[in-house]
Every structure is written in structure tokens, then in C-alpha cells.
Amino acid sequence: MLEGFESLRIARDGVTLKLRRAGQGAPLLLLHGHPQTHAMWHRVAPQLAQRFQVVLMDLRGYGDSDRPAAGAESANYARREMAKDALHVMGQLGHAQFQVLAHDRGARVAHRLALDHPQAVQRLMLLDIAPTLAMYRNTTEAFARAYWHWFFLVQPPPLPEALIASDPARYVRSVMGARHAGLAVFAPEALAEYQRCAAIPGTAESICADYRASAGIDLRHDQADQDAGRKLAQPLRVLWGEHGAVGRCFDVPALWRAAASDFTGRSLGCGHYIAEEAPALLLDETLNFFRSNP
């Protein structure tokens, strides 16, 4: 997978981040979801690299990036901290401004990145999420059943960590296989990569810290933005799966119109894992939305 992509490591405040890059043109940062790695983009990144300088980054706690200790309130895994990672990586690569395509957890990082650093993020495409604060505040039984891991992972340590660490591959297959398309949609080598990285020591602790931050310190940051009337200023395109829980359980357009000044979006005929279930549709959307010239 991803032949021809250069492998790099960039450190920020003692946390080393793994990334891959290829292509020329305007810089485009791709951020992955849970419980995946940058490998989730393998069906679209090579084609995007024909038009853009594509940067694929493993979020801290995932893939082959470092897994720092959670810290008080899991603050080391706050979206704000992960957004600083992304900003630093792009700055070290020489990109003061760039566009972002992001899925799931990475899309929540991208949302925070665009809010905190509007001078850096030019355009933003988010896959299969609604704003985090709105999702927690409007949770239903149907959503809780579909996204059970949101509520499992935030339980106090050490139980969630111990259960994940006892069989990391089973955890990956359980989370991903329970969605609309099942496990068959994933390339065997991609699924093997997700399972390999889930078994790296410290991953269970990092995953839990990620979700605990999202249900705690991140919500306070989001509420502060809402109270201050801050919205995304960049052109925002949101895509969600017609068969995914986000689209079924939330009014995705209404929630993003309340959070962004320039929103467009639509559902696609797939489930949650858009880049792997519907890569051709996603490529069409990205090529139409992002600007290929620096």
C-alpha cells in the first residue's frame, strides 16, 4: 500500500509523529479515524497525489506515532493538542497554509484545527461526523447502541484498557465489523495494519485517553466557542454515509450550518468508512472541492 510515499517522522514537544507524503501542488493534509491509521487512505491517496502534495499523518496514540501519557483530564489527547501536532507537522514541511480532508476522530481534530488556526486551514472536508458537542448533547438510544465504544472507552481505568489490551485485534474487528459494510470492505493488508498498530504497547491507554478527552476537556473548549459565537470561517464540505449512524441519528446539515459560515454537504450511498467503501465517490468530491494550485 502507498508505494512511492515517503516516510517521515517529525517531533513536537517530545512526541514523535509518523507521516507519509507524495505528490506536488497545493498541500493537502489527510487525518484518519479510530481505530485506524493513515493506511485508511490507501484507495484515494495515490490518485490525490497526482494533483496535490498529500500528507498522511498518524494521530498521536495511533499508528506508528508516539503514545504519550494521558496527563490530567487526558489533556495530552485533547483535540486542541492534536491540532497543534498537525499544524506543527505542516509547518515543518514548509506549509503555512493547507487544506484538510479528515475522517471520524481525525475530522474532530480537523474541526478544532480550523477553529484555532483559521489562518492556516484554507478549506476543510469532514467525513461522517457532526459537531462533537451537539452529538453528546443530543445522544439517543439508537446512537448509543451504534456508537457503544464512545461510552465504553470513557469509563474509569483500568477496565477498558485491560479489555482492549487482552485482544487488540478482536477490538478492532468488533468496532469496524459491526458497521454497515462489515469487515469485507477492508483490504486485508489495511485491516492487518490496523490490527498491528492496535497491538503496540500503550495503544489501549491512548485510545481511552482520546475518548475521555473528547467527553471532557474537548466539550469545554467546544462550549466556549459556542458561547463566544465562534464558527468555522473556511469553506466546509461534509460528507456522511447514508447507512451510517451519524446520518440516521442527527440532522447533520442543520448542526453544521450552526457551526460554520460556509457549509455544503451531502450523504453518500455507503456507511461510515467512506474512503474504503466509496473511494470513487470520495475522489470526485475531493477533486471538485479542493484547489489543486498552491
Side-chain angles (χ1 to χ4, degrees):
M1 293 186 297
L2 299 170
E3 293 183 6
F5 277 71
E6 177 187 13
S7 292
L8 297 168
R9 293 182 182 273
I10 293 177
R12 174 184 164 259
D13 292 346
V15 177
T16 299
L17 303 157
K18 170 66 179 293
L19 57 137
R20 307 280 295 277
R21 69 173 175 178
Q24 297 180 344
L28 177 61
L29 173 65
L30 276 60
L31 300 176
H32 65 84
H34 166 93
Q36 299 175 285
T37 73
H38 75 270
M40 65 155 282
W41 302 108
H42 71 99
R43 288 179 175 155
V44 296
Q47 292 87 343
L48 290 174
Q50 296 174 15
R51 298 274 297 275
F52 303 93
Q53 184 172 163
V54 175
V55 178
L56 314 173
M57 188 183 95
D58 284 339
L59 300 172
R60 61 170 59 196
Y62 292 88
D64 287 309
S65 286
D66 281 355
R67 290 147 171 75
E73 298 186 283
S74 296
N76 287 334
Y77 288 84
R79 293 321 79 143
R80 180 158 281 161
E81 201 64 28
M82 291 185 174
K84 290 178 183 177
D85 288 344
L87 185 72
H88 178 76
V89 161
M90 295 304 280
Q92 290 296 108
L93 295 176
H95 307 311
Q97 293 185 312
F98 49 91
Q99 302 170 108
V100 185
L101 167 62
H103 174 250
D104 190 72
R105 307 307 290 178
R108 301 187 192 285
V109 174
H111 183 195
R112 173 52 55 193
L113 174 65
L115 277 170
D116 286 357
H117 308 283
Q119 77 289 349
V121 178
Q122 298 167 308
R123 298 174 82 83
L124 184 64
M125 180 180 286
L126 306 180
L127 305 183
D128 212 57
I129 71 163
T132 309
L133 180 64
M135 290 179 71
Y136 271 113
R137 295 283 167 81
N138 296 284
T139 289
T140 62
E141 179 185 351
F143 177 72
R145 288 180 180 275
Y147 273 45
W148 57 269
H149 60 288
W150 273 38
F151 308 97
F152 163 66
L153 294 170
V154 302
Q155 297 306 306
L159 182 60
E161 292 90 334
L163 292 175
I164 295 168
S166 69
D167 195 341
R170 184 178 184 179
Y171 173 75
V172 169
R173 294 193 302 269
S174 297
V175 172
M176 298 177 65
R179 309 271 187 154
H180 163 73
L183 290 175
V185 71
F186 302 106
E189 58 269 41
L191 186 58
E193 182 69 358
Y194 307 148
Q195 293 178 166
R196 177 189 71 81
C197 292
I200 294 173
T203 298
E205 290 79 4
S206 295
I207 287 173
C208 292
D210 174 16
Y211 279 78
R212 288 174 185 140
S214 190
I217 190 170
D218 288 346
L219 296 184
R220 294 200 295 277
H221 293 159
D222 291 348
Q223 187 64 60
D225 286 330
Q226 190 175 100
D227 293 344
R230 283 190 289 271
K231 294 185 175 185
L232 290 170
Q234 306 89 341
L236 169 67
R237 181 83 172 158
V238 180
L239 306 173
W240 59 97
E242 177 184 343
H243 305 293
V246 172
R248 292 197 311 267
C249 297
F250 301 95
D251 186 342
V252 179
L255 293 175
W256 280 116
R257 287 190 186 102
S261 301
D262 184 358
F263 161 82
T264 61
R266 71 181 185 101
S267 66
L268 301 178
C270 61
H272 177 64
Y273 297 102
I274 294 172
E276 287 164 292
E277 294 181 50
L281 291 176
L282 179 57
L283 279 169
D284 285 345
E285 287 282 346
T286 55
L287 294 176
N288 286 330
F289 177 72
F290 290 115
R291 295 172 178 166
S292 58
N293 295 319

